[in-house]
Amino acid sequence: MAQLSRGKTPGRPGPWARPAGLALLLGLGACASSFTGDPITVPADSLTTQRILGMPTQAEPLMPVPGNVWPTEEDQAERPTLGTPDILNRPADPPPPPNRPIPRGSSTPPELLTPGTVLPRDNRADFQAPPPPAEPAPPPRRAGRVIPTPSGPAVTTTEGAGYSTYNSPGGGSGVAIPQGATTTLLGQDGSVRQVPTPR
């Protein structure tokens, strides 16, 4: 193995490493109680502790409960719960009057259900549909509009969906994109300018 200038072998701990490591482990062991909390103490007088330690236990035997422990008829009677379907039919509710007919079946009157009944004329045949809405007004033309710029007025020539082409006074051209109160002018030389949108 290669020797260092001080006479130590690389990768091998020095003579002080083992005692220092042992002192570090003992110090950390003493600090462990601050991380784990108080030790758990089991009461020595509990029945379970006495049985585990093999000590004689003194537990009272289980004895029968004095008296009648069987359920009575009241306890066996069915108690109403939210799942009971008859919970709404309590004895305190008065019964419905006997002469009131109970509605059953269709809501169509019986005279309309007999064969050969002529139904009244349907008024829906006379219904007139409202006229279709008028065509929306076409968007204002942007061709031929004058856009004021710092280098002079530019005039739009053709228009597309959301843009127009323009010619500037110096002979340049580009694309004008209206964006609300401003219009962005993209020149053929790559220049980008924002100017107020003309009203």
Side-chain angles (χ1 to χ4, degrees):
M1 292 186 143
Q3 294 287 329
L4 294 177
S5 62
R6 295 189 183 174
K8 294 183 179 178
T9 307
R12 189 169 187 192
W16 54 269
R18 288 188 182 149
L22 184 60
L24 183 65
L25 284 176
L26 289 175
L28 289 176
C31 295
S33 64
S34 64
F35 295 115
T36 58
D38 294 333
I40 299 173
T41 57
V42 178
D45 58 343
S46 73
L47 182 63
T48 305
T49 305
Q50 291 176 2
R51 286 182 179 168
I52 290 173
L53 296 177
M55 300 169 71
T57 59
Q58 296 185 6
E60 296 180 12
L62 291 177
M63 301 298 289
V65 177
N68 185 7
V69 295
W70 299 105
T72 61
E73 289 184 21
E74 286 182 10
D75 295 335
Q76 292 179 349
E78 192 173 318
R79 295 181 182 171
T81 63
L82 292 177
T84 307
D86 297 334
I87 193 168
L88 298 177
N89 298 335
R90 289 174 277 163
D93 292 340
N99 58 353
R100 185 178 77 182
I102 298 174
R104 290 193 179 107
S106 174
S107 62
T108 306
E111 60 270 4
L112 293 178
L113 295 177
T114 57
T117 304
V118 177
L119 297 175
R121 186 169 180 267
D122 192 3
N123 293 336
R124 286 184 283 176
D126 299 336
F127 178 73
Q128 295 283 334
E135 292 283 326
R141 287 182 46 105
R142 290 186 295 258
R145 299 186 88 184
V146 177
I147 302 172
T149 65
S151 60
V155 179
T156 59
T157 54
T158 59
E159 59 184 72
Y163 72 95
S164 300
T165 58
Y166 69 91
N167 290 327
S168 58
S173 63
V175 177
I177 304 171
Q179 297 174 336
T182 62
T183 299
T184 304
L185 302 176
L186 306 172
Q188 65 185 8
D189 58 351
S191 63
V192 179
R193 293 181 290 177
Q194 278 193 336
V195 295
T197 301
R199 295 183 185 197

